[in-house]
Amino acid sequence: MNISDNGTNWSKNSYESHSREEINSNGSLGGALLRAISEILKSILCIEIEKEIFIEISCYFYRASVVVKELQINRNTPTDAIEILQSLSKRVDSAKSITTQVEKNAQKIVVSDVQNVVQQIEGVVRNIGENLSILPSSTYGNQDYVERAAKALSEEMKYASFLGRLGENSEMKQKLHVLSTGDLKRGVRNQVDEDLYSVDVEVSAANIQFPDTSQTYVSDTTESSPMANRNISKSWSAGSSLMSLPQFAHMEPLYDTFFCPLSKKVMEDPVTLDSGVTYERNEITEWLDKKEDSEEIFCPKSGQKLKTKNLSTNAALKATIDEWKERNEAARIKVARAALSLASSDNMVLEAINDLQIVCKTKAYNKVQVRNIGIIPLLGNFLQYRNRSVRCETLELLRQLAEDDEDGKDVIAKTVDVSTIIKMLSSGHKPIRHAAVLVLVELSTSRFLCGEIGTVAGGILMLITAKYRQSDDFTSEKAYEILKNLEILPNNIKLMAENGYWEPLLTHLFEGSEEMRIKMANYLGEIVLGPDSKKIVAERASPALIQMVQNGNYLSRNASFKALKQISCYHPNAAILVDAGIMQTMVDEMFTRTIHNEPMNSKAEATEILANILESGLDVESFQVNKYGHTMASDYILYNIIIGIKNSTPDELNINLIRIVLCLIKFPKASSTVVSVIKESEASYNLIELINNPNEEIGIASIKLLIILSSFMGHTLLDRLCKTRGQPESLIPNPDEITRITEKHAVSANFLAKLPHQNLTLNLALVNNNVIPVITKSINQIQTAGTRSSRHAGSYFEGIVGILVRLTTTLYDHQILFTARTYNFASVFAELLTRSFSDEVQRQSAIGLENLSTQSISLSRPPQKKTTKFLKIVFFRKCISIKRSKGEEFSLCPVHRGVCSSQETFCLLDAEAVDQLLACLDHENVSVIEAALSALSTLLDDRVNVDQSISFLSEKRAIHHVLNVVKEHKEEVLWQKAFWMIEKFLIRGGEESVSNISQDRLFPATLVSAFHHGDDRTRQMAEKILRHLNRIPNLANTVTFTM
């Protein structure tokens, strides 16, 4: 027979007959689809060969009918949706044609035809899946759940495969046995092979509940009504219970002989009395015990007097019951699978899952059957089911299937999304949480699944959260059990630590095998420690890690060094590490221990750890670091550290050695030794050479050390710097050649600024190598862009301003004087005071103005007089203008008594810097105030016209600013400079100045305080002012009385 040809011809005719007009006349397009599916189901249920495959096929059609029933089809349905439904109808009719022909030719079909039938139906199912997947959302109305169900079904149908499983059942060797629909209604039975308790195979149409689609489906030409919808719902409710499922598998009846006469339950251990009646052993034993005091005992059922209480096992009946259970349990599993595939109601799903739970508890092999029949993938879908009870029972069934069954765990791992189960740990429904955690306990006993659980994003974190859930002790206890199981994989331990649960890692670091300890140490070096874990990790891990450094192999030492570097980076851990003995071990690694052919440079590792500890600020100057009693401040230790700093040393080691010296030089005892060793050795040359090392970090570290050393041996460093090729000009880059200011630029500028200022050699080197134009250009650019242009711009700016200031200390040299005039240093510093970039810039600018103003006295000279010409003198407030007869004019400074300008003589008045200096007196920074007072004091020097200067300063209300400094600050240095200026005003300022000072009501109290509590110089100055103000007797005018 050729089913394929006939089916194709019928499908073509069927599609032509399903035009819109004919569909409307017959009732509806949906109704036609449902009737066709109903016929397909009836035909498929008649097939007795390869029954499992055809059951699965029928499930797909049944589920498709449920979707069709929910579609919103009416006169407003879009044309494209109608066309898709017509195509769907074509596919269904094609399947109907195939199954109808199978029914008509039942006696002619042989085994070879089955493959052709299944292949064609498989193609139809896939095509139906394609049609369902492209249905527009409008077809579902507002029923989002229907659309989601349809999409899920379409995905399954598009990839449905039945052909590959043909022949798995031995029944394939038999002849296909089909019953026609007419035979079903007449109750015709066909017999199969029988055993002791033979059973007829009967598939009755009465067992199948199909909707009467011709009367209940809403036509696409009429509007749906509430009554119609109720009829539809009612007609489909018959499939909502497990008991009303089609008989996809035969269920054998229970026989009376299986039941215990006492308990009325199926017997587990049947025993027979001498009366010949069989009972359940436990039941009859209990009954006989109750009759123990009776003289005569009778059989409970027959009433026959018993001669003995002996019980005989009814082996035959027990074997029969066991065989019956086995056959029916297999059938129950198949029925449950069909129910889960249909899933037409919550009750049906729950009954199926509960029945499977019972079956799995009965016998371990039943779990194998459940697994083999493909139920586990279905259960995976029910984990996201809308009903909480279904989800909960599904979890319990999965737990049973995984319990003591490695194959079951493997199937679950491959077919169930473990992340869904883990997410249920955060459910607000306690039964679901408990069920989920119990499943995970079972799954975590599998090594493979431990890996799967660990790879779930956030899975470990959720388990840790559940472990610390105080409101649910059960979940907490089980979550801890799961985490213990997960520890079998080192990567899971790492994930736990990353999520804040360090106990497993620390435990395995101490108690694990050597391989495990190495892995744990490596993880410690990789994981970024959180603020809450840094201290506890250091306390727990340090002893083990130090021991691994001392006694381990290369891998062990490398891992422990990595971990110790990580721990020592957190400065509060320094004391913990020192207490654990790390100082001795690291010093030993640096100077004593040598391991040949070790790929790792343990000296570099040890120095980095030591540098981390020393940078914490911990006082280890007197801490013994070896068996000879040496400390970190000992000459031996410091000498070996310092001589190791050179170009030939590896970069990493150089950096860490310099870091150690930077820390030790802060201690008084160590600093003198460091300076002495550097002076007497080549270390200073080495440090200067390292400035231009390609590794910028080395250059930065060496310059930082040189900056500190400059206060101890500045002239030595300065001399060696100038003797080094390319220095000092390479320390200041051209702003046009760099894109941003780096830390190295900043420390280099500050190094030059902090070297002894009055060293003419360095200052001339800066001038002769054209460093000053570069600096002034950089200052202009930063003034324009601001210091926020780079993280290090502020520090760099302070450094280059300091370099300009250093030149003002050697203005006696004509080259430097010429440079200062060329770039108008006075105006530059005055403008810097105005812009207020930072306290240090203001301080440096004030110092620079002080140095320049000191030179103004000698640089300012009166113009050369010519007796033949008449001079006209005109007085101005700031200066005196002298005009010659031919219009030639000179500006004479009233303070310096000569021709002045900001550029040529650095006059503060002409540079208009006085206002800025007075504003600095209101600053909060003491150093800025001190520098400003010093600069202003140059205007009261005895070599200038003090009277004119006081007059000028009085106009600026300078005395009020100075008095405020005295009242608001208690520093001796500020009092002394302010008192000196006040005394000048009292002596040379006349009555007006005396009046202004004496009228300040708070000033006398400050004077008295300085007089009582200041140092000797402060007390003397305060005393003089008090005498000027007549606050204490003037001894020169006191009359002495004698006895």
Side-chain angles (χ1 to χ4, degrees):
M1 115 177 195
N2 192 333
I3 296 176
S4 176
D5 294 341
N6 293 336
T8 302
N9 294 334
W10 188 93
S11 297
K12 183 178 179 180
N13 296 332
S14 172
Y15 182 73
E16 293 173 352
S17 66
H18 278 76
S19 63
R20 184 181 289 270
E21 292 79 7
E22 186 171 347
I23 290 171
N24 290 342
S25 63
N26 288 339
S28 72
L29 179 58
L33 281 168
L34 291 174
R35 286 192 295 274
I37 292 174
S38 178
E39 293 299 323
I40 291 170
L41 291 174
K42 290 178 182 179
S43 298
I44 288 178
L45 290 175
C46 297
I47 301 175
E48 290 294 328
I49 201 166
E50 291 294 346
K51 197 169 186 63
E52 290 184 10
I53 291 178
F54 284 103
I55 286 174
E56 187 174 350
I57 292 171
S58 66
C59 289
Y60 279 125
F61 280 101
Y62 181 86
R63 291 167 67 187
S65 69
V66 176
V67 173
V68 171
K69 178 178 71 71
E70 298 292 342
L71 297 178
Q72 303 294 313
I73 306 173
N74 51 50
R75 64 171 60 92
N76 296 323
T77 302
T79 303
D80 58 340
I82 294 296
E83 291 176 354
I84 295 171
L85 289 170
Q86 287 175 346
S87 176
L88 180 63
S89 179
K90 172 186 174 182
R91 312 298 186 193
V92 172
D93 287 344
S94 176
K96 177 184 174 183
S97 174
I98 295 170
T99 55
T100 301
Q101 290 187 51
V102 170
E103 182 179 1
K104 289 180 179 178
N105 298 278
Q107 301 302 322
K108 300 178 182 180
I109 297 176
V110 293
V111 173
S112 59
D113 292 322
V114 175
Q115 183 175 1
N116 190 23
V117 171
V118 173
Q119 184 176 7
Q120 292 182 70
I121 294 179
E122 181 182 285
V124 171
V125 169
R126 291 182 177 180
N127 289 334
I128 292 173
E130 291 288 346
N131 289 134
L132 289 175
S133 68
I134 60 176
L135 276 173
S137 299
S138 60
T139 315
Y140 303 100
N142 296 325
Q143 304 175 100
D144 292 340
Y145 68 94
V146 177
E147 182 176 3
R148 289 196 298 271
K151 297 296 182 186
L153 175 61
S154 68
E155 288 299 312
E156 291 184 41
M157 296 181 78
K158 283 193 293 185
Y159 302 103
S161 177
F162 315 115
L163 198 60
R165 302 206 304 277
L166 282 175
E168 292 180 358
N169 197 321
S170 61
E171 290 181 356
M172 188 65 187
K173 299 176 182 178
Q174 301 179 17
K175 182 179 178 181
L176 184 66
H177 196 88
V178 181
L179 297 177
S180 66
T181 305
D183 292 336
L184 286 173
K185 292 181 179 179
R186 290 190 296 272
V188 177
R189 300 181 180 179
N190 292 284
Q191 301 295 326
V192 297
D193 293 339
E194 299 178 353
D195 57 10
L196 180 62
Y197 293 91
S198 61
V199 182
D200 292 338
V201 178
E202 179 178 2
V203 182
S204 174
N207 292 328
I208 309 173
Q209 305 294 332
F210 294 109
D212 187 358
T213 57
S214 61
Q215 297 184 22
T216 61
Y217 200 85
V218 181
S219 172
D220 57 354
T221 59
T222 60
E223 297 294 334
S224 60
S225 65
M227 182 60 69
N229 288 333
R230 284 197 295 271
N231 290 337
I232 292 173
S233 177
K234 183 177 179 180
S235 67
W236 285 87
S237 65
S240 63
S241 172
L242 187 63
M243 299 307 295
S244 62
L245 279 174
Q247 296 298 316
F248 291 124
H250 180 69
M251 301 289 291
E252 293 187 26
L254 287 166
Y255 300 93
D256 290 342
T257 53
F258 289 1
F259 291 92
C260 172
L262 294 176
S263 66
K264 309 302 181 184
K265 296 179 181 179
V266 176
M267 291 180 283
E268 297 287 339
D269 186 9
V271 292
T272 305
L273 296 176
D274 62 359
S275 63
V277 180
T278 301
Y279 298 89
E280 175 64 42
R281 181 183 295 275
N282 292 337
E283 296 293 334
I284 191 62
T285 300
E286 184 180 350
W287 189 88
L288 291 173
D289 289 342
K290 292 178 181 179
K291 304 295 183 179
E292 187 174 358
D293 297 334
S294 303
E295 295 181 359
E296 294 181 342
I297 302 175
F298 299 89
C299 174
K301 181 177 181 181
S302 66
Q304 180 181 343
K305 183 178 179 180
L306 299 177
K307 298 178 181 179
T308 177
K309 293 182 180 180
N310 293 338
L311 304 175
S312 302
T313 301
N314 191 335
L317 180 57
K318 187 177 188 309
T320 302
I321 292 173
D322 290 342
E323 290 175 7
W324 173 87
K325 286 181 179 180
E326 184 176 348
R327 287 193 297 273
N328 279 276
E329 284 167 357
R332 287 166 66 185
I333 292 171
K334 293 177 181 179
V335 171
R337 187 190 187 285
L340 295 177
S341 297
L342 296 174
S344 61
S345 72
D346 296 351
N347 287 336
M348 175 183 285
V349 174
L350 277 172
E351 288 181 34
I353 293 175
N354 289 334
D355 200 42
L356 287 172
Q357 291 173 354
I358 295 170
V359 169
C360 289
K361 288 179 182 177
T362 304
K363 188 168 55 179
Y365 180 71
N366 288 339
K367 295 197 291 186
V368 178
Q369 295 189 73
V370 170
R371 183 174 71 241
N372 292 341
I373 203 173
I375 288 179
I376 292 179
L378 295 175
L379 295 176
N381 296 331
F382 285 111
L383 290 176
Q384 297 182 347
Y385 198 72
R386 61 182 178 271
N387 186 291
R388 285 195 307 196
S389 298
V390 170
R391 297 199 302 273
C392 194
E393 295 303 323
T394 301
L395 288 167
E396 172 57 24
L397 180 54
L398 284 172
R399 185 198 65 78
Q400 288 182 246
L401 295 171
E403 188 176 17
D404 301 326
D405 189 343
E406 291 301 318
D407 292 334
K409 293 184 178 71
D410 290 342
V411 174
I412 291 172
K414 295 174 183 176
T415 59
V416 176
D417 187 0
V418 179
S419 65
T420 303
I421 302 176
I422 294 175
K423 289 175 185 176
M424 291 182 178
L425 293 176
S426 60
S427 171
H429 189 53
K430 184 178 288 188
I432 288 182
R433 284 204 310 272
H434 290 183
V437 78
L438 286 173
V439 174
L440 291 170
V441 168
E442 291 298 332
L443 297 181
S444 63
T445 58
S446 163
R447 185 182 182 89
F448 174 76
L449 276 164
C450 282
E452 291 294 302
I453 294 171
T455 57
V456 173
I460 297 289
L461 178 59
M462 293 191 70
L463 285 167
I464 294 171
T465 304
K467 175 186 179 299
Y468 291 109
R469 187 191 291 271
Q470 298 179 352
S471 60
D472 190 347
D473 292 340
F474 180 83
T475 302
S476 175
E477 178 185 345
K478 295 301 177 183
Y480 174 73
E481 186 177 343
I482 296 167
L483 290 169
K484 288 295 291 183
N485 292 339
L486 294 180
E487 290 179 25
I488 193 173
L489 296 179
N491 193 59
N492 285 342
I493 299 175
K494 180 183 179 183
L495 290 170
M496 293 178 200
E498 288 177 340
N499 286 283
Y501 183 40
W502 284 93
E503 186 62 31
L505 188 149
L506 296 174
T507 300
H508 286 283
L509 182 65
F510 269 94
E511 303 174 1
S513 62
E514 183 177 18
E515 181 183 0
M516 181 65 81
R517 294 177 70 192
I518 292 172
K519 286 183 178 179
M520 297 303 103
N522 275 318
Y523 292 158
L524 262 178
E526 296 170 6
I527 301 171
V528 178
L529 301 177
D532 298 333
S533 56
K534 290 178 179 178
K535 184 177 180 181
I536 186 67
V537 169
E539 291 174 344
R540 295 280 303 278
S542 297
L545 293 171
I546 293 171
Q547 186 180 27
M548 290 171 67
V549 170
Q550 294 170 342
N551 306 321
N553 57 26
Y554 159 66
L555 293 175
S556 178
R557 281 164 51 80
N558 185 47
S560 57
F561 271 124
K562 186 192 300 184
L564 286 169
K565 285 193 293 185
Q566 167 85 310
I567 293 172
S568 63
C569 285
Y570 183 58
H571 290 165
N573 287 339
I576 298 171
L577 291 168
V578 170
D579 290 343
I582 196 168
M583 297 292 290
Q584 297 91 329
T585 303
M586 295 302 108
V587 171
D588 183 55
E589 291 288 336
M590 287 175 61
F591 303 126
T592 307
R593 186 167 183 172
T594 302
I595 300 178
H596 297 288
N597 300 323
E598 186 177 55
M600 172 186 60
N601 187 348
S602 62
K603 292 184 185 298
E605 305 287 341
T607 53
E608 182 174 353
I609 294 168
L610 266 180
N612 290 341
I613 293 172
L614 292 172
E615 284 175 351
S616 69
L618 196 67
D619 185 3
V620 294
E621 187 179 22
S622 58
F623 193 86
Q624 185 173 330
V625 295
N626 61 21
K627 62 183 179 181
Y628 304 107
H630 292 142
T631 68
M632 289 302 296
S634 298
D635 294 352
Y636 168 78
I637 298 294
L638 290 172
Y639 178 80
N640 282 283
I641 291 173
I642 292 170
I643 63 171
I645 303 172
K646 49 192 172 184
N647 268 329
S648 59
T649 302
D651 291 350
E652 185 180 0
L653 182 56
N654 262 334
I655 293 170
N656 294 322
L657 288 173
I658 294 173
R659 289 173 61 200
I660 291 173
V661 176
L662 280 169
C663 295
L664 293 176
I665 202 171
K666 297 175 185 178
F667 299 106
K669 182 180 178 181
S671 63
S672 58
T673 305
V674 169
V675 172
S676 175
V677 171
I678 292 177
K679 276 185 177 180
E680 296 171 2
S681 66
E682 298 294 318
S684 59
Y685 285 109
N686 294 334
L687 287 171
I688 292 172
E689 288 177 0
L690 289 174
I691 291 175
N692 292 326
N693 191 287
N695 187 325
E696 189 166 301
E697 191 176 355
I698 294 179
I700 293 170
S702 61
I703 295 172
K704 286 181 177 179
L705 179 55
L706 289 169
I707 290 173
I708 296 175
L709 290 170
S710 64
S711 60
F712 298 99
M713 47 183 293
H715 290 285
T716 302
L717 295 178
L718 190 149
D719 180 63
R720 294 179 181 180
L721 176 69
C722 292
K723 290 179 180 179
T724 303
R725 179 179 297 179
Q727 299 295 4
E729 60 271 16
S730 67
L731 294 175
I732 304 298
N734 191 318
D736 296 332
E737 297 175 359
I738 59 174
T739 57
R740 64 184 181 88
I741 297 171
T742 65
E743 184 181 7
K744 186 174 182 181
H745 297 149
V747 295
S748 298
N750 280 280
F751 173 49
L752 289 176
K754 292 181 183 301
L755 286 170
H757 281 193
Q758 295 181 357
N759 188 285
L760 186 60
T761 303
L762 177 59
N763 291 352
L764 284 174
L766 294 170
V767 170
N768 294 331
N769 288 290
N770 295 318
V771 175
I772 307 307
V774 173
I775 289 176
T776 56
K777 188 174 184 178
S778 297
I779 288 175
N780 291 333
Q781 288 188 358
I782 294 176
Q783 282 180 317
T784 303
T787 56
R788 294 185 180 180
S789 58
S790 169
R791 174 185 173 187
H792 303 287
S795 177
Y796 177 71
F797 193 56
E798 292 171 359
I800 59 178
V801 171
I803 295 172
L804 290 186
V805 172
R806 71 174 296 114
L807 295 183
T808 63
T809 62
T810 54
L811 290 172
Y812 56 83
D813 182 85
H814 70 92
Q815 291 186 58
I816 296 176
L817 178 62
F818 177 78
T819 301
R821 285 172 168 172
T822 301
Y823 295 100
N824 199 351
F825 279 15
S827 295
V828 171
F829 290 137
E831 185 177 358
L832 291 174
L833 282 178
T834 306
R835 302 292 294 273
S836 301
F837 285 96
S838 70
D839 293 355
E840 180 61 18
V841 169
Q842 287 187 303
R843 186 187 75 85
Q844 292 278 11
S845 299
I847 293 173
L849 288 172
E850 176 192 0
N851 295 336
L852 292 172
S853 182
T854 303
Q855 296 299 317
S856 297
I857 301 170
S858 58
L859 295 175
S860 179
R861 292 187 176 88
Q864 295 180 354
K865 296 181 180 180
K866 296 183 180 180
T867 57
T868 58
K869 296 189 178 181
F870 174 75
L871 296 177
K872 181 180 179 181
I873 302 176
V874 181
F875 288 88
F876 290 91
R877 181 173 62 83
K878 210 166 67 171
C879 63
I880 301 173
S881 179
I882 302 176
K883 294 184 178 179
R884 294 187 182 272
S885 59
K886 291 186 178 180
E888 187 177 359
E889 181 176 340
F890 297 92
S891 295
L892 295 180
C893 177
V895 176
H896 300 112
R897 303 188 183 93
V899 179
C900 276
S901 69
S902 63
Q903 185 166 1
E904 294 297 324
T905 65
F906 317 122
C907 178
L908 296 184
L909 279 66
D910 190 70
E912 298 182 349
V914 175
D915 288 332
Q916 283 73 40
L917 290 169
L918 290 174
C920 289
L921 298 184
D922 296 328
H923 207 286
E924 294 179 356
N925 190 307
V926 173
S927 298
V928 174
I929 299 172
E930 179 187 359
L933 285 171
S934 297
L936 290 169
S937 296
T938 61
L939 297 178
L940 299 176
D941 190 277
D942 291 337
R943 293 175 294 170
V944 303
N945 189 335
V946 178
D947 294 336
Q948 290 292 335
S949 183
I950 289 176
S951 176
F952 175 77
L953 292 173
S954 296
E955 292 181 9
K956 302 289 185 180
R957 295 176 56 83
I959 194 63
H960 294 285
H961 292 282
V962 176
L963 290 172
N964 286 336
V965 170
V966 174
K967 292 182 291 185
E968 293 176 5
H969 297 276
K970 305 299 181 184
E971 289 78 11
E972 298 276 352
V973 64
L974 295 185
W975 276 356
Q976 290 173 10
K977 290 184 179 294
F979 287 164
W980 184 87
M981 291 185 68
I982 291 170
E983 186 180 6
K984 285 286 186 180
F985 272 85
L986 289 172
I987 296 173
R988 306 289 293 272
E991 294 182 0
E992 183 179 357
S993 295
V994 174
S995 175
N996 289 335
I997 295 171
S998 60
Q999 286 178 3
D1000 192 307
R1001 296 180 357 181
L1002 298 178
F1003 178 62
T1006 306
L1007 274 175
V1008 171
S1009 176
F1011 180 72
H1012 287 302
H1013 305 293
D1015 60 20
D1016 291 341
R1017 186 160 183 262
T1018 302
R1019 292 180 61 191
Q1020 289 176 7
M1021 298 177 79
E1023 181 180 355
K1024 288 182 180 181
I1025 297 173
L1026 286 169
R1027 291 188 190 282
H1028 281 296
L1029 297 176
N1030 295 320
R1031 295 285 179 169
I1032 58 176
N1034 192 336
L1035 298 178
N1037 299 324
T1038 302
V1039 178
T1040 302
F1041 295 91
T1042 60
M1043 297 296 295

